[in-house]
Amino acid sequence: MSLSAIRQFAIDYVSLEDRLLLRLRTEGTADIYRLLITRRYLSLFWTALTGELHKSLAETKNAVARDFLLEMAETRATASANFSTPFEDPAAAKAAAAASAEGSANPIPDAHLLWAFHILRNPDGTTLLSLITWDRMRLDLTLADDGLFGLMKLLRDAARTAEWELPMEWGVNFPGAAHHAGETRRLN
């Protein structure tokens, strides 16, 4: 399913699951998608995503210059983003309260475990992210750089909160540079 108009997204660390919870809300609808991200998934996804971004600057031969340009693009794209508005998810709040009252171990309603992804950098500068869940639901997100770098910032912040110690900074020797375009990655 193609989600072209994302109204809001948020990423939180769920300590009980030791997973990240990505929530997406679309424009003009009350639909909220809840996606669970494991440490391994994030590591592979981040590597592939940064590899695609590195390749988009292939004309810049100097790796240090590429990293600098990407860092500047990220700073520029996230400068105007609003990271302080709470995510609107009334169903999750009700479910968490009910789970707490019942002593239930699952505070995440209708969450889908992410299992595979496909990343494609489009000629117009947008990025197509296809997120595939374990139960075969596929969400296609087309993000401009401001949305992409905002998502990357939220992933980085959530991984730090989780204390996963993943290498999620721009750097010359970052393994993402070796990713192959159009490759679909599966985790098993």
Short mmCIF file of all heavy atoms in Angstrom, two decimals, residues 61-120:
data_model
loop_
_atom_site.label_atom_id
_atom_site.label_comp_id
_atom_site.label_asym_id
_atom_site.label_seq_id
_atom_site.Cartn_x
_atom_site.Cartn_y
_atom_site.Cartn_z
N LYS A 61 33.91 12.72 -5.51
CA LYS A 61 34.85 11.60 -5.38
C LYS A 61 35.44 11.48 -3.98
O LYS A 61 35.77 10.41 -3.52
CB LYS A 61 36.00 11.74 -6.40
CG LYS A 61 35.53 11.77 -7.83
CD LYS A 61 34.91 10.45 -8.23
CE LYS A 61 34.51 10.49 -9.69
NZ LYS A 61 33.51 9.54 -10.03
N ASN A 62 35.57 12.58 -3.29
CA ASN A 62 36.19 12.58 -1.96
C ASN A 62 35.18 12.13 -0.91
O ASN A 62 34.12 12.75 -0.73
CB ASN A 62 36.70 13.99 -1.65
CG ASN A 62 37.44 14.08 -0.34
OD1 ASN A 62 37.01 13.53 0.67
ND2 ASN A 62 38.56 14.78 -0.37
N ALA A 63 35.48 11.04 -0.21
CA ALA A 63 34.55 10.48 0.78
C ALA A 63 34.28 11.45 1.92
O ALA A 63 33.16 11.54 2.43
CB ALA A 63 35.10 9.17 1.32
N VAL A 64 35.29 12.19 2.34
CA VAL A 64 35.11 13.17 3.43
C VAL A 64 34.14 14.26 2.97
O VAL A 64 33.26 14.68 3.72
CB VAL A 64 36.46 13.76 3.87
CG1 VAL A 64 36.26 14.88 4.88
CG2 VAL A 64 37.36 12.68 4.44
N ALA A 65 34.28 14.71 1.74
CA ALA A 65 33.38 15.74 1.20
C ALA A 65 31.96 15.21 1.11
O ALA A 65 31.00 15.93 1.41
CB ALA A 65 33.87 16.21 -0.17
N ARG A 66 31.79 13.94 0.68
CA ARG A 66 30.45 13.33 0.61
C ARG A 66 29.79 13.32 1.98
O ARG A 66 28.63 13.67 2.13
CB ARG A 66 30.55 11.89 0.08
CG ARG A 66 30.19 11.73 -1.35
CD ARG A 66 29.97 10.29 -1.76
NE ARG A 66 30.84 9.32 -1.17
CZ ARG A 66 31.98 8.87 -1.71
NH1 ARG A 66 32.38 9.34 -2.86
NH2 ARG A 66 32.70 7.96 -1.10
N ASP A 67 30.55 12.88 2.98
CA ASP A 67 30.01 12.83 4.34
C ASP A 67 29.63 14.23 4.83
O ASP A 67 28.60 14.41 5.47
CB ASP A 67 31.01 12.20 5.30
CG ASP A 67 31.25 10.73 4.99
OD1 ASP A 67 30.35 10.10 4.39
OD2 ASP A 67 32.33 10.24 5.32
N PHE A 68 30.46 15.22 4.52
CA PHE A 68 30.17 16.59 4.92
C PHE A 68 28.90 17.08 4.24
O PHE A 68 28.03 17.69 4.88
CB PHE A 68 31.35 17.51 4.57
CG PHE A 68 31.08 18.96 4.86
CD1 PHE A 68 31.09 19.42 6.16
CD2 PHE A 68 30.78 19.84 3.83
CE1 PHE A 68 30.82 20.76 6.44
CE2 PHE A 68 30.51 21.17 4.10
CZ PHE A 68 30.53 21.63 5.41
N LEU A 69 28.75 16.81 2.94
CA LEU A 69 27.55 17.24 2.22
C LEU A 69 26.30 16.58 2.78
O LEU A 69 25.24 17.21 2.92
CB LEU A 69 27.69 16.93 0.73
CG LEU A 69 28.71 17.79 -0.03
CD1 LEU A 69 28.90 17.27 -1.44
CD2 LEU A 69 28.28 19.25 -0.03
N LEU A 70 26.38 15.30 3.12
CA LEU A 70 25.22 14.60 3.70
C LEU A 70 24.89 15.16 5.08
O LEU A 70 23.72 15.33 5.42
CB LEU A 70 25.48 13.10 3.76
CG LEU A 70 25.44 12.40 2.40
CD1 LEU A 70 25.93 10.97 2.52
CD2 LEU A 70 24.03 12.44 1.83
N GLU A 71 25.91 15.43 5.87
CA GLU A 71 25.66 16.00 7.19
C GLU A 71 25.02 17.38 7.09
O GLU A 71 24.10 17.70 7.84
CB GLU A 71 26.98 16.07 7.97
CG GLU A 71 26.78 16.36 9.44
CD GLU A 71 28.08 16.20 10.22
OE1 GLU A 71 28.88 15.31 9.91
OE2 GLU A 71 28.27 17.01 11.15
N MET A 72 25.47 18.18 6.14
CA MET A 72 24.88 19.51 5.93
C MET A 72 23.44 19.38 5.43
O MET A 72 22.56 20.13 5.86
CB MET A 72 25.72 20.32 4.93
CG MET A 72 27.08 20.72 5.47
SD MET A 72 26.99 21.64 7.01
CE MET A 72 26.14 23.10 6.50
N ALA A 73 23.18 18.45 4.53
CA ALA A 73 21.81 18.23 4.04
C ALA A 73 20.90 17.81 5.18
O ALA A 73 19.76 18.27 5.28
CB ALA A 73 21.81 17.18 2.93
N GLU A 74 21.40 16.95 6.05
CA GLU A 74 20.61 16.52 7.20
C GLU A 74 20.31 17.69 8.12
O GLU A 74 19.17 17.88 8.56
CB GLU A 74 21.36 15.42 7.96
CG GLU A 74 20.62 14.93 9.18
CD GLU A 74 21.40 13.88 9.95
OE1 GLU A 74 22.63 13.88 9.90
OE2 GLU A 74 20.74 13.07 10.61
N THR A 75 21.31 18.51 8.41
CA THR A 75 21.12 19.68 9.28
C THR A 75 20.10 20.64 8.69
O THR A 75 19.19 21.11 9.37
CB THR A 75 22.47 20.40 9.50
OG1 THR A 75 23.38 19.48 10.08
CG2 THR A 75 22.31 21.61 10.38
N ARG A 76 20.22 20.90 7.39
CA ARG A 76 19.29 21.81 6.70
C ARG A 76 17.87 21.24 6.70
O ARG A 76 16.90 21.95 6.95
CB ARG A 76 19.79 22.05 5.28
CG ARG A 76 19.11 23.14 4.54
CD ARG A 76 19.77 23.48 3.19
NE ARG A 76 20.17 22.33 2.39
CZ ARG A 76 21.44 21.93 2.20
NH1 ARG A 76 22.43 22.58 2.77
NH2 ARG A 76 21.71 20.89 1.45
N ALA A 77 17.74 19.95 6.44
CA ALA A 77 16.41 19.33 6.33
C ALA A 77 15.71 19.24 7.68
O ALA A 77 14.49 19.36 7.76
CB ALA A 77 16.52 17.94 5.71
N THR A 78 16.46 19.00 8.75
CA THR A 78 15.83 18.84 10.07
C THR A 78 15.67 20.16 10.82
O THR A 78 14.99 20.19 11.84
CB THR A 78 16.62 17.84 10.94
OG1 THR A 78 17.97 18.30 11.08
CG2 THR A 78 16.60 16.45 10.33
N ALA A 79 16.28 21.24 10.32
CA ALA A 79 16.20 22.53 11.01
C ALA A 79 14.76 23.03 11.14
O ALA A 79 14.39 23.62 12.15
CB ALA A 79 17.05 23.57 10.30
N SER A 80 13.95 22.79 10.13
CA SER A 80 12.57 23.30 10.16
C SER A 80 11.57 22.25 10.63
O SER A 80 10.37 22.53 10.69
CB SER A 80 12.18 23.81 8.78
OG SER A 80 12.23 22.74 7.85
N ALA A 81 12.04 21.05 10.94
CA ALA A 81 11.12 19.97 11.36
C ALA A 81 10.63 20.21 12.78
O ALA A 81 11.31 20.81 13.60
CB ALA A 81 11.82 18.62 11.27
N ASN A 82 9.43 19.72 13.04
CA ASN A 82 8.83 19.85 14.36
C ASN A 82 8.93 18.49 15.07
O ASN A 82 8.18 17.58 14.77
CB ASN A 82 7.37 20.28 14.23
CG ASN A 82 6.68 20.39 15.57
OD1 ASN A 82 7.24 20.11 16.62
ND2 ASN A 82 5.42 20.80 15.54
N PHE A 83 9.88 18.39 16.00
CA PHE A 83 10.07 17.14 16.74
C PHE A 83 9.42 17.19 18.12
O PHE A 83 9.52 16.24 18.88
CB PHE A 83 11.56 16.83 16.89
CG PHE A 83 12.24 16.54 15.58
CD1 PHE A 83 13.07 17.48 14.99
CD2 PHE A 83 12.05 15.33 14.94
CE1 PHE A 83 13.69 17.21 13.79
CE2 PHE A 83 12.66 15.06 13.73
CZ PHE A 83 13.49 16.00 13.15
N SER A 84 8.75 18.29 18.45
CA SER A 84 8.21 18.44 19.79
C SER A 84 6.72 18.12 19.90
O SER A 84 6.21 17.88 21.01
CB SER A 84 8.46 19.86 20.30
OG SER A 84 7.81 20.79 19.46
N THR A 85 5.99 18.10 18.79
CA THR A 85 4.56 17.80 18.85
C THR A 85 4.35 16.32 19.15
O THR A 85 4.87 15.47 18.42
CB THR A 85 3.88 18.16 17.52
OG1 THR A 85 4.10 19.55 17.26
CG2 THR A 85 2.39 17.88 17.57
N PRO A 86 3.61 16.00 20.19
CA PRO A 86 3.36 14.59 20.50
C PRO A 86 2.58 13.91 19.39
O PRO A 86 1.72 14.52 18.75
CB PRO A 86 2.54 14.63 21.79
CG PRO A 86 2.68 16.01 22.32
CD PRO A 86 3.01 16.90 21.16
N PHE A 87 2.88 12.63 19.17
CA PHE A 87 2.17 11.85 18.16
C PHE A 87 0.75 11.60 18.64
O PHE A 87 0.52 11.24 19.79
CB PHE A 87 2.90 10.51 17.95
CG PHE A 87 2.37 9.74 16.77
CD1 PHE A 87 2.86 9.99 15.50
CD2 PHE A 87 1.39 8.77 16.93
CE1 PHE A 87 2.39 9.28 14.41
CE2 PHE A 87 0.91 8.07 15.83
CZ PHE A 87 1.41 8.33 14.57
N GLU A 88 -0.22 11.79 17.75
CA GLU A 88 -1.64 11.62 18.07
C GLU A 88 -2.03 10.17 17.83
O GLU A 88 -2.22 9.75 16.70
CB GLU A 88 -2.49 12.55 17.21
CG GLU A 88 -2.12 14.01 17.35
CD GLU A 88 -2.71 14.85 16.23
OE1 GLU A 88 -3.68 14.41 15.57
OE2 GLU A 88 -2.20 15.94 16.00
N ASP A 89 -2.16 9.40 18.92
CA ASP A 89 -2.52 7.98 18.81
C ASP A 89 -3.41 7.59 19.98
O ASP A 89 -2.97 6.93 20.92
CB ASP A 89 -1.25 7.13 18.77
CG ASP A 89 -1.52 5.68 18.40
OD1 ASP A 89 -2.70 5.29 18.30
OD2 ASP A 89 -0.54 4.95 18.20
N PRO A 90 -4.69 8.00 19.95
CA PRO A 90 -5.58 7.73 21.08
C PRO A 90 -5.80 6.24 21.33
O PRO A 90 -5.95 5.81 22.46
CB PRO A 90 -6.88 8.43 20.71
CG PRO A 90 -6.78 8.83 19.29
CD PRO A 90 -5.34 8.76 18.90
N ALA A 91 -5.81 5.42 20.29
CA ALA A 91 -6.04 3.98 20.47
C ALA A 91 -4.90 3.35 21.24
O ALA A 91 -5.13 2.49 22.10
CB ALA A 91 -6.20 3.30 19.11
N ALA A 92 -3.68 3.77 20.98
CA ALA A 92 -2.52 3.20 21.68
C ALA A 92 -2.54 3.61 23.15
O ALA A 92 -2.20 2.82 24.03
CB ALA A 92 -1.22 3.64 21.03
N ALA A 93 -2.93 4.84 23.42
CA ALA A 93 -3.00 5.29 24.81
C ALA A 93 -4.04 4.49 25.59
O ALA A 93 -3.78 4.07 26.72
CB ALA A 93 -3.33 6.78 24.86
N LYS A 94 -5.21 4.25 24.97
CA LYS A 94 -6.24 3.45 25.64
C LYS A 94 -5.78 2.02 25.86
O LYS A 94 -5.99 1.43 26.91
CB LYS A 94 -7.53 3.45 24.81
CG LYS A 94 -8.29 4.74 24.83
CD LYS A 94 -9.53 4.65 23.96
CE LYS A 94 -10.18 6.01 23.79
NZ LYS A 94 -11.30 5.95 22.85
N ALA A 95 -5.14 1.44 24.84
CA ALA A 95 -4.67 0.06 24.94
C ALA A 95 -3.58 -0.08 26.00
O ALA A 95 -3.56 -1.06 26.74
CB ALA A 95 -4.15 -0.43 23.58
N ALA A 96 -2.69 0.89 26.08
CA ALA A 96 -1.62 0.84 27.07
C ALA A 96 -2.20 0.94 28.48
O ALA A 96 -1.77 0.23 29.39
CB ALA A 96 -0.61 1.97 26.84
N ALA A 97 -3.21 1.81 28.66
CA ALA A 97 -3.85 1.93 29.97
C ALA A 97 -4.57 0.64 30.34
O ALA A 97 -4.48 0.17 31.48
CB ALA A 97 -4.82 3.11 29.96
N ALA A 98 -5.26 0.04 29.38
CA ALA A 98 -5.97 -1.22 29.63
C ALA A 98 -4.99 -2.34 29.93
O ALA A 98 -5.21 -3.14 30.84
CB ALA A 98 -6.84 -1.58 28.43
N ALA A 99 -3.89 -2.40 29.19
CA ALA A 99 -2.88 -3.45 29.41
C ALA A 99 -2.25 -3.29 30.78
O ALA A 99 -2.00 -4.27 31.48
CB ALA A 99 -1.81 -3.39 28.32
N SER A 100 -2.03 -2.05 31.17
CA SER A 100 -1.44 -1.79 32.48
C SER A 100 -2.40 -2.21 33.60
O SER A 100 -2.00 -2.82 34.58
CB SER A 100 -1.10 -0.31 32.61
OG SER A 100 -0.61 -0.02 33.89
N ALA A 101 -3.68 -1.89 33.42
CA ALA A 101 -4.68 -2.24 34.43
C ALA A 101 -4.86 -3.75 34.55
O ALA A 101 -5.07 -4.28 35.64
CB ALA A 101 -6.02 -1.58 34.09
N GLU A 102 -4.75 -4.46 33.41
CA GLU A 102 -4.92 -5.91 33.40
C GLU A 102 -3.63 -6.66 33.71
O GLU A 102 -3.64 -7.88 33.86
CB GLU A 102 -5.44 -6.36 32.03
CG GLU A 102 -6.79 -5.83 31.66
CD GLU A 102 -7.13 -6.14 30.21
OE1 GLU A 102 -6.37 -6.85 29.54
OE2 GLU A 102 -8.18 -5.65 29.75
N GLY A 103 -2.50 -5.96 33.71
CA GLY A 103 -1.23 -6.62 33.91
C GLY A 103 -0.76 -7.34 32.66
O GLY A 103 0.07 -8.24 32.71
N SER A 104 -1.27 -6.93 31.50
CA SER A 104 -0.92 -7.56 30.23
C SER A 104 0.49 -7.17 29.81
O SER A 104 0.96 -6.08 30.11
CB SER A 104 -1.91 -7.13 29.15
OG SER A 104 -1.50 -7.60 27.90
N ALA A 105 1.17 -8.06 29.09
CA ALA A 105 2.54 -7.81 28.66
C ALA A 105 2.62 -7.13 27.29
O ALA A 105 3.69 -6.81 26.85
CB ALA A 105 3.32 -9.11 28.63
N ASN A 106 1.51 -6.95 26.58
CA ASN A 106 1.58 -6.38 25.25
C ASN A 106 0.87 -5.02 25.19
O ASN A 106 -0.33 -4.96 24.96
CB ASN A 106 0.96 -7.33 24.22
CG ASN A 106 1.14 -6.81 22.80
OD1 ASN A 106 1.86 -5.86 22.57
ND2 ASN A 106 0.47 -7.45 21.87
N PRO A 107 1.64 -3.94 25.35
CA PRO A 107 1.03 -2.61 25.32
C PRO A 107 0.90 -2.02 23.92
O PRO A 107 0.54 -0.88 23.77
CB PRO A 107 1.99 -1.79 26.16
CG PRO A 107 3.31 -2.42 25.92
CD PRO A 107 3.03 -3.89 25.73
N ILE A 108 1.21 -2.80 22.87
CA ILE A 108 1.21 -2.26 21.51
C ILE A 108 0.10 -2.90 20.69
O ILE A 108 0.21 -4.05 20.27
CB ILE A 108 2.57 -2.51 20.83
CG1 ILE A 108 3.70 -1.99 21.70
CG2 ILE A 108 2.60 -1.84 19.46
CD1 ILE A 108 5.05 -2.46 21.26
N PRO A 109 -0.99 -2.17 20.44
CA PRO A 109 -2.07 -2.75 19.64
C PRO A 109 -1.72 -2.77 18.16
O PRO A 109 -1.14 -1.83 17.64
CB PRO A 109 -3.23 -1.79 19.91
CG PRO A 109 -2.57 -0.49 20.20
CD PRO A 109 -1.27 -0.82 20.88
N ASP A 110 -2.06 -3.84 17.49
CA ASP A 110 -1.95 -3.95 16.03
C ASP A 110 -0.57 -3.62 15.47
O ASP A 110 -0.46 -3.02 14.40
CB ASP A 110 -2.99 -3.04 15.35
CG ASP A 110 -4.39 -3.33 15.81
OD1 ASP A 110 -4.70 -4.53 16.02
OD2 ASP A 110 -5.17 -2.38 15.98
N ALA A 111 0.49 -4.00 16.17
CA ALA A 111 1.83 -3.73 15.67
C ALA A 111 2.29 -4.86 14.75
O ALA A 111 1.97 -6.02 14.97
CB ALA A 111 2.80 -3.59 16.84
N HIS A 112 3.02 -4.49 13.72
CA HIS A 112 3.53 -5.44 12.73
C HIS A 112 5.06 -5.42 12.78
O HIS A 112 5.67 -4.35 12.75
CB HIS A 112 3.07 -5.08 11.32
CG HIS A 112 1.59 -5.04 11.17
ND1 HIS A 112 0.85 -6.16 10.83
CD2 HIS A 112 0.70 -4.04 11.33
CE1 HIS A 112 -0.42 -5.83 10.77
NE2 HIS A 112 -0.54 -4.56 11.08
N LEU A 113 5.68 -6.58 12.82
CA LEU A 113 7.13 -6.70 12.86
C LEU A 113 7.71 -6.49 11.47
O LEU A 113 7.35 -7.20 10.53
CB LEU A 113 7.53 -8.08 13.40
CG LEU A 113 9.03 -8.35 13.49
CD1 LEU A 113 9.68 -7.42 14.50
CD2 LEU A 113 9.26 -9.81 13.86
N LEU A 114 8.62 -5.51 11.34
CA LEU A 114 9.28 -5.29 10.06
C LEU A 114 10.26 -6.43 9.79
O LEU A 114 10.98 -6.86 10.68
CB LEU A 114 9.99 -3.94 10.05
CG LEU A 114 9.08 -2.74 9.92
CD1 LEU A 114 9.85 -1.44 10.05
CD2 LEU A 114 8.31 -2.76 8.62
N TRP A 115 10.26 -6.89 8.54
CA TRP A 115 11.03 -8.07 8.18
C TRP A 115 11.97 -7.82 7.01
O TRP A 115 13.05 -8.37 6.93
CB TRP A 115 10.05 -9.19 7.87
CG TRP A 115 10.65 -10.44 7.35
CD1 TRP A 115 11.46 -11.31 8.02
CD2 TRP A 115 10.50 -10.99 6.05
NE1 TRP A 115 11.80 -12.36 7.23
CE2 TRP A 115 11.21 -12.19 6.00
CE3 TRP A 115 9.80 -10.59 4.91
CZ2 TRP A 115 11.28 -12.98 4.88
CZ3 TRP A 115 9.86 -11.38 3.79
CH2 TRP A 115 10.59 -12.57 3.78
N ALA A 116 11.57 -7.01 6.06
CA ALA A 116 12.38 -6.74 4.87
C ALA A 116 12.16 -5.30 4.44
O ALA A 116 11.24 -4.62 4.91
CB ALA A 116 11.99 -7.69 3.74
N PHE A 117 13.01 -4.84 3.54
CA PHE A 117 12.88 -3.48 3.02
C PHE A 117 13.48 -3.41 1.63
O PHE A 117 14.24 -4.28 1.21
CB PHE A 117 13.57 -2.45 3.94
CG PHE A 117 15.04 -2.70 4.15
CD1 PHE A 117 15.98 -2.25 3.24
CD2 PHE A 117 15.48 -3.38 5.27
CE1 PHE A 117 17.33 -2.48 3.43
CE2 PHE A 117 16.83 -3.62 5.47
CZ PHE A 117 17.75 -3.16 4.55
N HIS A 118 13.12 -2.36 0.95
CA HIS A 118 13.67 -2.05 -0.36
C HIS A 118 13.82 -0.54 -0.40
O HIS A 118 12.89 0.19 -0.02
CB HIS A 118 12.72 -2.53 -1.47
CG HIS A 118 13.22 -2.28 -2.85
ND1 HIS A 118 14.17 -3.06 -3.45
CD2 HIS A 118 12.91 -1.32 -3.74
CE1 HIS A 118 14.41 -2.60 -4.67
NE2 HIS A 118 13.65 -1.54 -4.87
N ILE A 119 14.98 -0.06 -0.82
CA ILE A 119 15.24 1.38 -0.85
C ILE A 119 15.66 1.76 -2.26
O ILE A 119 16.51 1.11 -2.86
CB ILE A 119 16.37 1.75 0.14
CG1 ILE A 119 15.98 1.36 1.57
CG2 ILE A 119 16.69 3.25 0.05
CD1 ILE A 119 17.10 1.47 2.56
N LEU A 120 15.04 2.81 -2.78
CA LEU A 120 15.38 3.29 -4.11
C LEU A 120 15.42 4.81 -4.10
O LEU A 120 14.44 5.46 -3.70
CB LEU A 120 14.34 2.80 -5.13
CG LEU A 120 14.58 3.21 -6.58
CD1 LEU A 120 15.87 2.61 -7.11
CD2 LEU A 120 13.40 2.78 -7.43
#
